C-alpha cells in the first residue's frame, strides 16, 4: 500500500508522506519519501509511536485525532524533522474500518521551502494540464472561467497572476486583431502570499491601455510571450513611471515575470501575467513553454465563454424586444405577470403575454405558447404577438382575432411547420363582463371574493395553425367585483415529474379563499415557487389580473331617439356631466365632438342612439348605433356638402376609433384630461422592485 512519494498533482506547493498506524497508534507502514518530507529514513519511523512525529505541545492534539472513529479528521501542527528542525504541517487521519492493519492512514503534508518550489517541470505540467483545466473550463461564464484559471496558475506555476482580455470581448462585441494600444480589462487577480497590494495595485474590473515601453504593451504588439527572468529595481521603477503607478514598481522589484498571450483562432484575446516573487526559482525557457501550452488551452476556454456570452446577450436582446416592456390596463384593473424560459442555456422561448388597455375602460388579456423552444420559437412568437397586438388595437372580438391568427399560422406553416395555443380575454370594467376565446389552450382560472375558484369552460378549438379543426368561438362570463383572473402556459402546471392534473390542482390551491386579499406580488411569486429549480421545465408565462369595475360615478350613458333634436339634448347632457366632474375646460370641445358623432349616427344608422361618457385617465366619448358599417375618414372636396365630421373629430381628439358590437358599432374618441398623464395607464412595470426568476429578460 506504500504510496508514491510525489506530491499530488493538484498541490505542487507541498509534499505528502503517508503512514500506516495500527490500533496501538504505532507506525507500521511508511511511504518511501519520508526522508524528503521529514528528513528521516522509513526504517527509523516504523515501530515508533505516531506522537513522536510532533513536538510536545502538539502530542495531545495528535492523540485526539487518532481517537477511534469513522470520520476523517485533520489539524495543523508542528512536526519534527530528522535534522533537529521543525515546521508546520497539515496532518490528516483517515480511519480504515473493517480491514486488516493498519487501523488508520496518517497523511503528513508539509509545505515546500521556497527554494524547492517550481523545481519539477513534469509536476508543473501535470498540475496545469490535467483535471484542473477541465474544472475551470466547464464554466461558460467569462468571469468565472478567468477566476478558475488564476486559481490553477497560482500556486502551481507562480505566486501571483492576473488575466487581462480585450474590452470588446467583455462587451460581447466582435473581436478583431488589435494593436498594442488595445483597450483591455483585468477580469481576475490572485496571489498566494495574502498580500493585499496585488489586488489594490492591479484591481479586478479595471479598463486600461498600457503605455509604450512596458512589457504589457510588448505582449499585445507581438502576440508572443514576454519573458523577464529578473526584473531589477530600476526596471520595475521604470514600469511604474511609464504606467504612472508607483506601487506597481514596488511590487515588481526583483521578481521574475512571464506574460503569456492567449490566442484563439489566430486572434489575440488578451494575456496572463505570471509573477514569481523573490526567493523562488526564476522562470526559465522551459517554464515559458509550459506556460504557453497552458495559455493556448486557456484561450480556447475564454473564447468559448466569449461566444456563449455573445450568443446569450443576443438571445436576451431578442427576447426583450419581443416581450412587452409594460402592461397597460384601466385604473380599476391590477395586473401582474411572470415569464421564465425553459432553458438556462438558451433563455429564449415561444411563450408570451399581453395586457392591452382598450378604449371604453376595457382590457385585452392574452397568453400564448408557440410549440418548441429556442430562437425559432421566439421569432414565431414575436410575429404572432405583433399581429395580435395589432388586432387588439383594431378591437376585433377575441374569437375573430384568434381566427385571423389561425390563418397567419397556416401561412407561416408553409415555410416551416408551426402551431401555437392562445387564450384571449377582453374584460369590460363598466359592465363587469369578460369575453374569452381559446385556441387549444388550458382553461383560465377565476377566483372570486367569496372564496370560490374554478377553471372556466371555454368552447374548445384546435391550436392555431392546425388545419381542419372546429371554429373558434368565445364565451362571455359575468365577473364579481375584485375577482382574480389567471391565464398561464402549460409549463406552469406540467413537467416530467408531475401530471398536469396535479399541477392544475396546485395552481387552484394557490388561488384559494385567502388569495383575493393577498398582494398581487405575493401571488405572482407563489405561482413560481419551486419551479426555478426544475431543470426540465418548459417555458412559463403567467398573467394575473385583479378585475374591478369602474366606479359608477366615473361614467354615464344616455339613450337618444333618432331625431335631429337629439344633438341639442346631447350637448346639454355632456355639459352637465362635465360640470359635475369639474372638467369645464373641456366643455366646448366635448360638445362639438359629441355633436359630430351623433350627427354621423343619425345620418347612417337606424333606430335609437346611445351616448356614453367615461372618465378614466382620459375622457372618452362613445356613440353606439345599430349600423354595422364602419365610418371611414376622408378629406372632403370644396364643393362637398358632407364628409367633414370625422375629420373634425380626428383633429380635435387625442385618439378616435371604431369597433363592432353584436347589435351594431361604437364610434369613440378620447381627450387628454388636464393634470392627468394618459400613459399612466401602463401602471404595471414589467419587473417589480424585488428580483424574481426571469427578471433579466426585461431589463435593458
Amino acid at each position: 500500500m506504500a504510496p508514491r512519494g510525489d506530491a499530488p498533482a493538484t498541490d505542487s506547493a507541498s509534499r505528502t508522506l503517508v503512514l500506516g498506524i495500527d490500533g496501538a497508534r504505532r507506525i507500521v507502514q511508511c511511504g518511501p519519501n519520508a526522508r524528503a518530507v521529514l528528513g528521516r529514513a522509513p526504517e527509523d519511523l516504523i515501530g515508533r509511536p505516531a506522537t513522536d512525529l510532533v513536538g510536545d505541545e502538539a502530542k495531545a492534539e495528535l492523540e485526539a485525532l487518532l481517537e477511534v472513529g469513522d470520520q476523517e479528521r485533520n489539524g495543523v501542527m508542528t512536526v519534527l524533522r530528522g535534522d533537529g528542525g521543525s515546521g508546520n504541517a497539515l496532518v490528516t487521519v483517515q480511519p480504515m474500518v473493517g480491514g486488516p492493519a493498519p487501523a488508520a492512514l496518517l497523511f503528513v503534508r508539509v509545505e515546500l521551502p521556497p527554494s524547492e518550489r517550481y523545481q519539477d517541470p513534469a509536476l508543473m505540467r501535470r498540475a496545469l494540464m490535467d483535471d484542473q483545466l477541465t474544472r475551470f473550463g466547464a464554466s461558460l461564464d467569462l468571469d468565472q472561467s478567468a477566476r478558475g484559471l488564476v486559481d490553477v496558475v497560482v500556486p502551481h506555476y507562480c505566486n501571483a497572476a492576473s488575466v487581462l482580455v480585450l474590452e470588446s470581448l467583455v462587451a460581447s462585441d466582435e473581436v478583431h486583431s488589435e494593436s498594442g494600444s488595445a483597450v483591455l480589462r483585468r477580469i481576475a487577480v490572485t496571489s498566494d502570499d495574502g498580500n493585499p497590494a496585488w489586488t489594490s495595485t492591479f484591481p479586478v474590473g479595471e479598463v486600461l491601455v498600457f503605455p509604450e515601453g512596458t512589457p504589457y504593451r510588448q505582449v499585445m504588439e507581438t502576440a508572443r510571450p514576454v519573458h523577464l527572468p529578473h526584473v531589477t529595481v530600476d526596471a520595475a521603477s521604470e514600469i511604474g513611471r511609464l504606467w504612472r503607478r508607483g506601487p506597481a514598481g514596488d511590487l515588481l522589484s526583483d521578481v521574475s515575470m512571464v506574460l503569456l498571450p492567449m490566442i484563439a483562432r489566430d486572434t489575440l484575446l488578451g494575456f496572463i501575467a505570471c509573477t514569481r516573487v523573490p526567493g523562488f526559482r526564476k522562470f526559465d525557457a522551459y517554464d515559458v513553454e509550459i506556460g504557453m501550452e497552458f495559455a493556448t488551452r486557456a484561450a480556447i476556454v475564454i473564447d468559448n465563454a466569449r461566444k456563449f456570452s455573445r450568443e446569450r446577450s443576443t438571445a436576451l436582446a431578442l427576447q426583450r424586444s419581443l416581450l412587452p416592456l409594460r402592461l397597460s390596463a384601466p385604473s380599476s384593473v391590477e395586473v401582474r405577470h411572470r415569464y421564465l424560459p425553459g432553458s438556462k442555456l438558451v433563455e429564449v422561448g415561444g411563450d408570451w403575454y399581453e395586457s392591452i388597455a382598450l378604449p371604453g375602460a376595457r382590457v385585452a388579456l392574452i397568453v400564448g405558447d408557440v410549440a418548441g423552444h429556442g430562437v425559432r420559437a421566439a421569432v414565431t412568437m414575436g410575429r404572432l404577438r405583433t399581429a395580435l397586438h395589432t388586432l387588439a388595437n383594431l378591437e376585433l372580438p377575441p374569437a375573430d382575432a384568434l381566427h385571423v391568427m389561425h390563418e397567419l399560422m397556416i401561412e407561416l406553416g408553409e415555410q416551416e411547420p408551426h402551431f401555437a395555443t392562445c387564450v384571449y380575454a377582453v374584460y369590460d370594467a363598466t359592465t363587469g363582463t369578460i369575453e374569452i376565446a381559446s385556441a387549444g389552450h388550458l382553461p383560465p382560472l377565476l377566483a372570486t371574493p367569496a372564496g370560490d375558484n374554478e377553471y372556466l369552460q371555454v368552447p374548445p378549438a384546435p391550436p392555431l395553425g392546425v388545419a381542419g379543426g372546429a371554429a373558434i368561438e368565445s364565451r362571455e362570463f359575468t365577473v364579481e367585483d375584485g375577482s382574480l383572473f389567471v391565464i398561464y402556459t402549460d409549463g406552469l402546471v406540467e413537467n416530467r415529474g408531475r401530471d398536469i392534473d396535479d399541477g392544475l390542482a396546485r395552481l387552484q390551491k394557490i388561488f384559494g379563499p385567502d388569495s383575493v386579499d393577498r398582494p398581487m406580488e405575493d401571488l405572482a411569486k407563489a405561482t413560481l415557487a419551486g419551479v426555478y429549480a426544475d431543470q426540465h421545465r418548459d417555458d412559463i408565462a403567467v398573467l394575473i389580473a385583479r378585475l374591478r369595475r369602474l366606479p359608477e360615478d366615473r361614467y354615464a350613458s344616455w339613450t337618444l331617439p333618432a331625431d335631429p333634436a337629439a344633438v341639442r339634448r346631447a350637448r346639454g347632457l355632456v355639459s352637465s356631466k362635465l360640470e359635475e366632474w369639474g372638467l369645464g375646460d373641456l366643455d366646448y370641445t366635448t360638445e362639438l365632438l359629441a355633436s359630430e358623432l351623433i350627427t354621423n349616427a343619425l345620418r347612417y344608422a337606424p333606430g335609437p342612439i346611445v351616448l356614453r361618457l367615461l372618465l378614466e385617465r382620459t375622457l372618452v366619448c362613445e356613440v353606439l348605433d345599430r349600423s354595422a358599417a364602419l365610418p371611414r375618414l376622408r378629406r372632403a372636396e370644396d364643393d362637398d356638402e358632407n364628409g367633414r365630421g370625422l375629420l373634425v373629430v380626428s383633429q380635435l381628439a387625442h385618439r378616435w376609433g371604431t369597433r363592432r358590437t353584436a347589435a351594431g358599432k361604437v364610434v369613440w374618441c378620447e381627450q387628454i384630461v388636464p393634470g392627468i398623464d394618459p400613459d399612466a395607464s401602463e401602471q404595471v412595470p414589467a419587473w417589480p422592485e424585488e428580483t424574481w426568476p426571469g427578471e433579466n429578460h426585461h431589463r435593458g
Side-chain angles (χ1 to χ4, degrees):
M1 55 75 62
R4 295 179 303 179
D6 297 337
T10 57
D11 190 5
S12 61
S14 65
R15 183 174 292 146
T16 303
L17 172 65
V18 183
L19 303 168
I21 309 298
D22 64 8
R25 301 173 185 174
R26 294 182 177 272
I27 301 173
V28 295
Q29 294 176 336
C30 180
N33 63 331
R35 193 178 299 278
V37 177
L38 297 178
R40 301 185 183 187
E43 54 271 19
D44 294 339
L45 293 175
I46 292 178
R48 300 176 64 89
T51 52
D52 287 356
L53 296 172
V54 299
D56 293 339
E57 70 283 356
K59 291 184 182 297
E61 183 179 358
L62 182 56
E63 286 280 0
L65 291 182
L66 293 171
E67 288 290 337
V68 177
D70 57 358
Q71 297 287 332
E72 181 179 295
R73 302 174 298 279
N74 56 70
V76 177
M77 56 194 70
T78 302
V79 296
L80 304 176
R81 296 181 53 83
D83 57 6
S86 63
N88 290 331
L90 175 63
V91 178
T92 302
V93 177
Q94 181 179 342
M96 304 290 288
V97 180
L105 294 180
L106 186 67
F107 296 83
V108 180
R109 181 175 298 175
V110 299
E111 185 178 11
L112 292 176
S115 59
E116 296 185 28
R117 292 274 294 274
Y118 315 124
Q119 291 287 348
D120 189 344
L123 191 61
M124 273 195 299
R125 181 185 295 274
R126 187 173 64 186
L128 291 178
M129 305 302 173
D130 282 356
D131 63 331
Q132 299 288 353
L133 192 67
T134 304
R135 175 171 57 83
F136 82 78
S139 171
L140 289 175
D141 180 78
L142 184 62
D143 292 331
Q144 187 173 343
S145 296
R147 286 193 296 269
L149 190 156
V150 294
D151 288 341
V152 171
V153 174
V154 177
H156 301 306
Y157 184 73
C158 59
N159 304 109
S162 60
V163 177
L164 296 101
V165 297
L166 297 174
E167 174 64 12
S168 58
L169 185 151
V170 179
S172 300
D173 295 333
E174 191 65 33
V175 176
H176 304 282
S177 298
E178 300 192 37
S179 63
S181 59
V183 179
L184 299 170
R185 177 180 292 193
R186 189 178 295 105
I187 58 176
V189 175
T190 192
S191 64
D192 65 353
D193 58 1
N195 186 357
W198 289 104
T199 53
S200 60
T201 305
F202 308 106
V204 174
E206 180 184 19
V207 179
L208 71 165
V209 176
F210 285 105
E212 294 185 5
T214 61
Y216 310 105
R217 184 66 169 259
Q218 181 183 349
V219 69
M220 292 299 297
E221 289 177 342
T222 63
R224 298 177 62 85
V226 174
H227 179 205
L228 303 175
H230 180 220
V231 181
T232 63
V233 174
D234 293 340
S237 299
E238 180 65 10
I239 292 174
R241 185 189 69 80
L242 293 172
W243 197 359
R244 297 181 181 178
R245 187 169 297 187
D250 299 335
L251 275 177
L252 299 180
S253 296
D254 290 325
V255 305
S256 181
M257 186 165 62
V258 61
L259 307 179
L260 306 170
M262 295 186 294
I263 302 173
R265 296 185 299 167
D266 299 325
T267 301
L268 178 64
L269 305 179
F271 63 89
I272 309 172
C274 303
T275 305
R276 291 179 183 171
V277 299
F280 291 83
R281 188 178 71 83
K282 296 178 174 57
F283 287 109
D284 58 21
Y286 194 58
D287 291 328
V288 176
E289 180 182 339
I290 295 174
M292 277 306 301
E293 185 177 350
F294 176 79
T296 300
R297 299 187 184 186
I300 297 174
V301 173
I302 295 295
D303 189 50
N304 287 338
R306 174 190 69 86
K307 289 190 289 186
F308 171 75
S309 177
R310 183 177 63 183
E311 292 174 0
R312 182 174 183 272
S313 298
T314 302
L316 287 177
L318 171 65
Q319 192 77 58
R320 292 190 191 109
S321 67
L322 296 178
L323 292 173
L325 293 177
R326 288 183 178 272
L327 306 177
S328 59
S331 57
S332 61
V333 177
E334 187 179 2
V335 183
R336 286 293 184 274
H337 85 285
R338 285 295 184 267
Y339 172 79
L340 191 62
S343 171
K344 290 184 179 181
L345 183 64
V346 180
E347 298 202 57
V348 294
D351 292 14
W352 86 93
Y353 55 90
E354 283 284 3
S355 175
I356 308 168
L358 301 175
R362 297 175 303 127
V363 59
L365 304 170
I366 307 167
V367 161
D369 181 4
V370 176
H373 305 277
V375 175
R376 289 187 178 181
V379 170
T380 301
M381 175 270 287
R383 300 168 78 173
L384 293 181
R385 175 183 165 265
T386 301
L388 198 53
H389 199 284
T390 302
L391 295 173
N393 286 322
L394 290 175
E395 301 192 64
L396 288 182
D400 293 349
L402 290 185
H403 177 73
V404 176
M405 293 285 287
H406 173 69
E407 296 297 329
L408 175 61
M409 285 295 290
I410 293 291
E411 181 180 345
L412 294 178
E414 295 177 359
Q415 301 175 356
E416 184 175 354
H418 276 298
F419 72 89
T421 65
C422 184
V423 60
Y424 186 153
V426 174
Y427 175 68
D428 190 330
T430 61
T431 63
T433 60
I434 186 167
E435 183 181 3
I436 308 172
S438 175
H441 207 82
L442 291 169
L445 177 65
L446 183 68
T448 68
D452 302 324
N453 59 28
E454 63 174 335
Y455 288 102
L456 302 179
Q457 299 302 313
V458 182
L464 304 174
V466 176
I472 301 174
E473 300 178 7
S474 63
R475 183 178 176 186
E476 189 172 273
F477 300 86
T478 299
V479 179
E480 293 185 43
D481 203 32
S483 296
L484 290 170
F485 181 70
V486 186
I487 48 180
Y488 50 92
T489 56
D490 58 357
L492 180 67
V493 296
E494 183 181 26
N495 59 32
R496 295 183 184 181
R498 181 177 59 196
D499 185 75
I500 189 170
D501 290 335
D502 295 334
L504 291 172
R506 170 188 172 272
L507 183 62
Q508 200 167 13
K509 184 177 180 181
I510 292 174
F511 292 89
D514 62 336
S515 61
V516 177
D517 298 325
R518 291 179 63 186
M520 291 286 282
E521 199 58 40
D522 291 350
L523 292 172
K525 292 177 181 178
T527 58
L528 290 188
V531 173
Y532 193 65
D534 183 5
Q535 301 297 321
H536 304 290
R537 66 176 183 272
D538 194 2
D539 303 330
I540 296 173
V542 186
L543 197 66
I544 307 170
R546 178 170 277 129
L547 307 178
R548 293 191 179 96
R549 297 188 184 186
L550 198 66
E552 293 184 358
D553 61 350
R554 308 294 283 183
Y555 64 93
S557 179
W558 306 277
T559 300
L560 305 173
D563 186 339
V567 177
R568 179 179 179 182
R569 183 186 174 195
R571 286 198 296 264
L573 294 171
V574 167
S575 179
S576 299
K577 181 54 67 173
L578 293 184
E579 183 179 355
E580 178 184 332
W581 286 341
L583 299 177
D585 293 343
L586 299 178
D587 191 356
Y588 176 78
T589 305
T590 308
E591 286 185 29
L592 181 56
L593 291 171
S595 298
E596 293 296 341
L597 294 181
I598 292 175
T599 301
N600 192 70
L602 290 173
R603 183 178 181 86
Y604 296 105
I609 299 167
V610 177
L611 171 65
R612 191 164 71 153
L613 284 182
L614 299 98
L615 179 57
E616 238 252 318
R617 293 187 179 89
T618 59
L619 178 63
V620 180
C621 178
E622 296 183 339
V623 172
L624 297 77
D625 61 45
R626 296 185 179 182
S627 172
L630 300 180
R632 180 174 57 90
L633 179 65
R634 64 185 180 90
R635 190 169 296 276
E637 300 295 337
D638 292 342
D639 56 350
D640 288 345
E641 295 183 1
N642 50 41
R644 295 176 177 84
L646 286 182
L647 182 61
V648 172
V649 172
S650 67
Q651 294 295 318
L652 295 179
H654 175 60
R655 291 192 307 164
W656 76 277
T658 63
R659 68 176 181 273
R660 284 192 172 91
T661 65
K665 69 175 181 294
V666 176
V667 184
W668 59 268
C669 63
E670 72 175 17
Q671 301 174 76
I672 302 297
V673 178
I676 299 180
D677 181 7
D679 293 331
S681 60
E682 300 179 337
Q683 94 288 3
V684 184
W687 54 86
E689 294 181 0
E690 298 184 17
T691 58
W692 47 272
E695 177 186 8
N696 58 333
H697 294 273
H698 308 278
R699 294 192 182 276

